Amino acid sequence: MPTNMTAERRQIMAAVAAKAREQRGTWVRLDAYPTVRGARTTAGRITKGSAVEFPGLGDWEAYTAACEDGESVWLRYVAGDQPVPHLPERMTVRVRHDGDGPGYEGVGVLTVTIAARCPRCGGPRGVDTVRPFRFVHDGDHLVVHRWTNPCGHEDLYPAVVAEARQEMRENPADLLLAAYSAQEVGPHANHAANLLARHGHLDAAAVVRGEVKNNDGDLSTLQAVQFLRDLVGGGC
Ligand SMILES: [Zn+2]
């Protein structure tokens, strides 16, 4: 890769650099790598100003994100004094979701927090285009959000809900709460610990079991959720 770059690849990088310079502050996709490590190496060199086509410490910003064909590298040209728009990591939006079980806010609407990156190309989602969209569902007036991604890929609500749930599964407290809402786990924290262990959250399962003991066996699944959140910090 960087050490034995082909002429063709250098040309592509030079073209991307030119494009990025023309639209300072706008994120441009460089390319996608089969490994996260390869993408991060390139992004790191760009950020440090040590990539030949992207010279100048502080003149470039770069990040990597998962995409359909691996891990993509995105960059923007930021040289100069004019501020550039902040790039948030996450965005919280209301999306339409026509029901499954209790535990969610409202009827037909879910509030979810997702990565502020397009899952298809890794580009920034249209965070600054989020706007309310009103509709009527079973006589209820509901408000969801719509947004437009600069990359042109459209986010459909079912995919956004699935994405948010997938992320929740990576967080033990959120996993527990979702399972509880879907009635997939019993009310006692021992059930919660078993579920966590089944999903590979062995540390979380162990601390919940410890907390059950500390409470002389008196701990509910919902208290376990709160306990895990307090452990992580923030307590919210
Ligand atoms: Zn996209």
Side-chain angles (χ1 to χ4, degrees):
M1 299 203 310
T3 46
N4 54 1
M5 242 188 300
T6 63
E8 186 192 9
R9 184 159 158 70
R10 283 194 185 283
Q11 261 180 6
I12 292 171
M13 291 178 85
V16 171
K19 188 175 159 194
R21 277 199 173 91
E22 275 167 22
Q23 22 180 359
R24 177 185 179 278
T26 300
W27 291 97
V28 177
R29 180 169 149 133
L30 178 59
D31 53 12
Y33 289 74
T35 65
V36 173
R37 192 172 164 192
R40 286 198 181 151
T41 301
T42 298
R45 292 176 64 238
I46 293 168
T47 305
K48 288 190 201 107
S50 59
V52 177
E53 291 80 8
F54 306 95
L57 180 59
D59 288 359
W60 303 88
E61 290 179 1
Y63 74 82
T64 80
C67 64
E68 281 179 340
D69 40 357
E71 185 84 0
S72 58
V73 175
W74 285 75
L75 57 88
R76 66 177 175 180
Y77 184 63
V78 297
D81 296 332
Q82 290 293 321
V84 289
H86 171 66
L87 179 71
E89 290 289 327
R90 327 263 314 147
M91 63 194 279
T92 298
V93 284
R94 293 164 63 87
V95 297
R96 178 167 180 150
H97 178 62
D98 294 329
D100 59 9
Y104 294 106
E105 177 201 338
V107 176
V109 173
L110 280 179
T111 299
V112 296
T113 299
I114 50 175
R117 307 284 178 272
C118 169
R120 293 180 62 187
C121 68
R125 272 177 162 142
V127 175
D128 52 355
T129 69
V130 174
R131 58 204 181 273
F133 175 77
R134 287 159 221 285
F135 67 102
V136 180
H137 177 76
D138 280 351
D140 290 326
H141 291 258
L142 302 173
V143 184
V144 290
H145 287 129
R146 285 187 170 178
W147 60 94
T148 309
N149 295 330
C151 60
H153 293 131
E154 194 182 349
D155 281 317
L156 300 177
Y157 290 144
V160 169
V161 171
E163 183 183 328
R165 289 192 167 156
Q166 180 58 38
E167 287 199 19
M168 278 197 317
R169 291 194 180 95
E170 288 159 18
N171 175 317
D174 290 347
L175 164 78
L176 255 193
L177 188 57
Y180 186 76
S181 301
Q183 301 182 333
E184 291 167 1
V185 63
H188 193 275
N190 281 336
H191 301 133
N194 292 340
L195 179 103
L196 290 169
R198 277 205 305 279
H199 283 81
H201 293 296
L202 299 180
D203 291 347
V207 295
V208 167
R209 288 199 181 106
E211 187 64 6
V212 170
K213 268 188 198 149
N214 292 341
N215 286 272
D216 295 325
D218 186 16
L219 194 75
S220 71
T221 291
L222 282 179
Q223 285 169 324
V225 169
Q226 194 55 50
F227 172 68
L228 287 171
R229 293 211 165 137
D230 291 345
L231 268 187
V232 181
C236 51

mmCIF file with all atom_site columns, all heavy atoms in Angstrom, residues 55-66:
data_model
loop_
_atom_site.group_PDB
_atom_site.id
_atom_site.type_symbol
_atom_site.label_atom_id
_atom_site.label_alt_id
_atom_site.label_comp_id
_atom_site.label_asym_id
_atom_site.label_entity_id
_atom_site.label_seq_id
_atom_site.pdbx_PDB_ins_code
_atom_site.Cartn_x
_atom_site.Cartn_y
_atom_site.Cartn_z
_atom_site.occupancy
_atom_site.B_iso_or_equiv
_atom_site.pdbx_formal_charge
_atom_site.auth_seq_id
_atom_site.auth_comp_id
_atom_site.auth_asym_id
_atom_site.auth_atom_id
_atom_site.pdbx_PDB_model_num
ATOM 1  N N   . PRO A 1 55 ? -0.279  17.286 1.612  1.00 0.00 ? 55 PRO A N   1
ATOM 2  C CA  . PRO A 1 55 ? 0.767   17.842 2.470  1.00 0.00 ? 55 PRO A CA  1
ATOM 3  C C   . PRO A 1 55 ? 0.232   18.948 3.391  1.00 0.00 ? 55 PRO A C   1
ATOM 4  O O   . PRO A 1 55 ? -0.771  19.588 3.079  1.00 0.00 ? 55 PRO A O   1
ATOM 5  C CB  . PRO A 1 55 ? 1.754   18.424 1.457  1.00 0.00 ? 55 PRO A CB  1
ATOM 6  C CG  . PRO A 1 55 ? 0.898   18.803 0.283  1.00 0.00 ? 55 PRO A CG  1
ATOM 7  C CD  . PRO A 1 55 ? -0.241  17.822 0.244  1.00 0.00 ? 55 PRO A CD  1
ATOM 8  N N   . GLY A 1 56 ? 0.933   19.125 4.496  1.00 0.00 ? 56 GLY A N   1
ATOM 9  C CA  . GLY A 1 56 ? 0.610   20.239 5.383  1.00 0.00 ? 56 GLY A CA  1
ATOM 10 C C   . GLY A 1 56 ? -0.050  19.775 6.667  1.00 0.00 ? 56 GLY A C   1
ATOM 11 O O   . GLY A 1 56 ? -1.214  19.371 6.645  1.00 0.00 ? 56 GLY A O   1
ATOM 12 N N   . LEU A 1 57 ? 0.687   19.843 7.785  1.00 0.00 ? 57 LEU A N   1
ATOM 13 C CA  . LEU A 1 57 ? 0.114   19.452 9.069  1.00 0.00 ? 57 LEU A CA  1
ATOM 14 C C   . LEU A 1 57 ? -1.027  20.398 9.419  1.00 0.00 ? 57 LEU A C   1
ATOM 15 O O   . LEU A 1 57 ? -0.860  21.616 9.409  1.00 0.00 ? 57 LEU A O   1
ATOM 16 C CB  . LEU A 1 57 ? 1.201   19.506 10.147 1.00 0.00 ? 57 LEU A CB  1
ATOM 17 C CG  . LEU A 1 57 ? 0.763   19.117 11.558 1.00 0.00 ? 57 LEU A CG  1
ATOM 18 C CD1 . LEU A 1 57 ? 0.223   17.709 11.608 1.00 0.00 ? 57 LEU A CD1 1
ATOM 19 C CD2 . LEU A 1 57 ? 1.925   19.285 12.533 1.00 0.00 ? 57 LEU A CD2 1
ATOM 20 N N   . GLY A 1 58 ? -2.194  19.851 9.694  1.00 0.00 ? 58 GLY A N   1
ATOM 21 C CA  . GLY A 1 58 ? -3.341  20.677 10.064 1.00 0.00 ? 58 GLY A CA  1
ATOM 22 C C   . GLY A 1 58 ? -4.168  21.145 8.891  1.00 0.00 ? 58 GLY A C   1
ATOM 23 O O   . GLY A 1 58 ? -5.214  21.771 9.073  1.00 0.00 ? 58 GLY A O   1
ATOM 24 N N   . ASP A 1 59 ? -3.706  20.860 7.668  1.00 0.00 ? 59 ASP A N   1
ATOM 25 C CA  . ASP A 1 59 ? -4.457  21.312 6.492  1.00 0.00 ? 59 ASP A CA  1
ATOM 26 C C   . ASP A 1 59 ? -5.566  20.338 6.095  1.00 0.00 ? 59 ASP A C   1
ATOM 27 O O   . ASP A 1 59 ? -6.441  20.667 5.306  1.00 0.00 ? 59 ASP A O   1
ATOM 28 C CB  . ASP A 1 59 ? -3.526  21.482 5.285  1.00 0.00 ? 59 ASP A CB  1
ATOM 29 C CG  . ASP A 1 59 ? -2.633  22.707 5.436  1.00 0.00 ? 59 ASP A CG  1
ATOM 30 O OD1 . ASP A 1 59 ? -2.772  23.399 6.463  1.00 0.00 ? 59 ASP A OD1 1
ATOM 31 O OD2 . ASP A 1 59 ? -1.814  22.964 4.542  1.00 0.00 ? 59 ASP A OD2 1
ATOM 32 N N   . TRP A 1 60 ? -5.464  19.114 6.637  1.00 0.00 ? 60 TRP A N   1
ATOM 33 C CA  . TRP A 1 60 ? -6.416  18.071 6.235  1.00 0.00 ? 60 TRP A CA  1
ATOM 34 C C   . TRP A 1 60 ? -7.003  17.390 7.457  1.00 0.00 ? 60 TRP A C   1
ATOM 35 O O   . TRP A 1 60 ? -6.334  17.205 8.464  1.00 0.00 ? 60 TRP A O   1
ATOM 36 C CB  . TRP A 1 60 ? -5.712  16.995 5.383  1.00 0.00 ? 60 TRP A CB  1
ATOM 37 C CG  . TRP A 1 60 ? -5.052  17.554 4.162  1.00 0.00 ? 60 TRP A CG  1
ATOM 38 C CD1 . TRP A 1 60 ? -3.780  18.045 4.075  1.00 0.00 ? 60 TRP A CD1 1
ATOM 39 C CD2 . TRP A 1 60 ? -5.628  17.700 2.871  1.00 0.00 ? 60 TRP A CD2 1
ATOM 40 N NE1 . TRP A 1 60 ? -3.538  18.478 2.804  1.00 0.00 ? 60 TRP A NE1 1
ATOM 41 C CE2 . TRP A 1 60 ? -4.650  18.273 2.037  1.00 0.00 ? 60 TRP A CE2 1
ATOM 42 C CE3 . TRP A 1 60 ? -6.877  17.381 2.326  1.00 0.00 ? 60 TRP A CE3 1
ATOM 43 C CZ2 . TRP A 1 60 ? -4.892  18.564 0.686  1.00 0.00 ? 60 TRP A CZ2 1
ATOM 44 C CZ3 . TRP A 1 60 ? -7.112  17.653 0.997  1.00 0.00 ? 60 TRP A CZ3 1
ATOM 45 C CH2 . TRP A 1 60 ? -6.134  18.238 0.187  1.00 0.00 ? 60 TRP A CH2 1
ATOM 46 N N   . GLU A 1 61 ? -8.244  16.992 7.333  1.00 0.00 ? 61 GLU A N   1
ATOM 47 C CA  . GLU A 1 61 ? -8.855  16.125 8.334  1.00 0.00 ? 61 GLU A CA  1
ATOM 48 C C   . GLU A 1 61 ? -9.282  14.846 7.628  1.00 0.00 ? 61 GLU A C   1
ATOM 49 O O   . GLU A 1 61 ? -9.654  14.893 6.446  1.00 0.00 ? 61 GLU A O   1
ATOM 50 C CB  . GLU A 1 61 ? -10.089 16.786 8.964  1.00 0.00 ? 61 GLU A CB  1
ATOM 51 C CG  . GLU A 1 61 ? -9.740  17.959 9.863  1.00 0.00 ? 61 GLU A CG  1
ATOM 52 C CD  . GLU A 1 61 ? -10.980 18.619 10.454 1.00 0.00 ? 61 GLU A CD  1
ATOM 53 O OE1 . GLU A 1 61 ? -12.110 18.152 10.170 1.00 0.00 ? 61 GLU A OE1 1
ATOM 54 O OE2 . GLU A 1 61 ? -10.816 19.600 11.175 1.00 0.00 ? 61 GLU A OE2 1
ATOM 55 N N   . ALA A 1 62 ? -9.230  13.738 8.335  1.00 0.00 ? 62 ALA A N   1
ATOM 56 C CA  . ALA A 1 62 ? -9.636  12.470 7.747  1.00 0.00 ? 62 ALA A CA  1
ATOM 57 C C   . ALA A 1 62 ? -10.257 11.589 8.810  1.00 0.00 ? 62 ALA A C   1
ATOM 58 O O   . ALA A 1 62 ? -9.929  11.694 9.992  1.00 0.00 ? 62 ALA A O   1
ATOM 59 C CB  . ALA A 1 62 ? -8.437  11.766 7.114  1.00 0.00 ? 62 ALA A CB  1
ATOM 60 N N   . TYR A 1 63 ? -11.167 10.760 8.396  1.00 0.00 ? 63 TYR A N   1
ATOM 61 C CA  . TYR A 1 63 ? -11.718 9.750  9.306  1.00 0.00 ? 63 TYR A CA  1
ATOM 62 C C   . TYR A 1 63 ? -11.996 8.481  8.514  1.00 0.00 ? 63 TYR A C   1
ATOM 63 O O   . TYR A 1 63 ? -12.007 8.507  7.275  1.00 0.00 ? 63 TYR A O   1
ATOM 64 C CB  . TYR A 1 63 ? -12.986 10.256 10.005 1.00 0.00 ? 63 TYR A CB  1
ATOM 65 C CG  . TYR A 1 63 ? -14.226 10.311 9.142  1.00 0.00 ? 63 TYR A CG  1
ATOM 66 C CD1 . TYR A 1 63 ? -14.997 9.166  8.915  1.00 0.00 ? 63 TYR A CD1 1
ATOM 67 C CD2 . TYR A 1 63 ? -14.649 11.501 8.557  1.00 0.00 ? 63 TYR A CD2 1
ATOM 68 C CE1 . TYR A 1 63 ? -16.135 9.209  8.133  1.00 0.00 ? 63 TYR A CE1 1
ATOM 69 C CE2 . TYR A 1 63 ? -15.793 11.554 7.770  1.00 0.00 ? 63 TYR A CE2 1
ATOM 70 C CZ  . TYR A 1 63 ? -16.534 10.398 7.572  1.00 0.00 ? 63 TYR A CZ  1
ATOM 71 O OH  . TYR A 1 63 ? -17.658 10.435 6.785  1.00 0.00 ? 63 TYR A OH  1
ATOM 72 N N   . THR A 1 64 ? -12.200 7.393  9.217  1.00 0.00 ? 64 THR A N   1
ATOM 73 C CA  . THR A 1 64 ? -12.571 6.145  8.555  1.00 0.00 ? 64 THR A CA  1
ATOM 74 C C   . THR A 1 64 ? -13.926 5.691  9.079  1.00 0.00 ? 64 THR A C   1
ATOM 75 O O   . THR A 1 64 ? -14.307 6.004  10.203 1.00 0.00 ? 64 THR A O   1
ATOM 76 C CB  . THR A 1 64 ? -11.542 5.020  8.797  1.00 0.00 ? 64 THR A CB  1
ATOM 77 O OG1 . THR A 1 64 ? -11.770 4.454  10.087 1.00 0.00 ? 64 THR A OG1 1
ATOM 78 C CG2 . THR A 1 64 ? -10.118 5.539  8.706  1.00 0.00 ? 64 THR A CG2 1
ATOM 79 N N   . ALA A 1 65 ? -14.652 4.989  8.242  1.00 0.00 ? 65 ALA A N   1
ATOM 80 C CA  . ALA A 1 65 ? -15.966 4.478  8.643  1.00 0.00 ? 65 ALA A CA  1
ATOM 81 C C   . ALA A 1 65 ? -16.265 3.215  7.861  1.00 0.00 ? 65 ALA A C   1
ATOM 82 O O   . ALA A 1 65 ? -15.842 3.066  6.709  1.00 0.00 ? 65 ALA A O   1
ATOM 83 C CB  . ALA A 1 65 ? -17.044 5.530  8.385  1.00 0.00 ? 65 ALA A CB  1
ATOM 84 N N   . ALA A 1 66 ? -17.019 2.333  8.511  1.00 0.00 ? 66 ALA A N   1
ATOM 85 C CA  . ALA A 1 66 ? -17.438 1.105  7.826  1.00 0.00 ? 66 ALA A CA  1
ATOM 86 C C   . ALA A 1 66 ? -18.339 1.464  6.653  1.00 0.00 ? 66 ALA A C   1
ATOM 87 O O   . ALA A 1 66 ? -19.100 2.430  6.710  1.00 0.00 ? 66 ALA A O   1
ATOM 88 C CB  . ALA A 1 66 ? -18.182 0.205  8.805  1.00 0.00 ? 66 ALA A CB  1
#
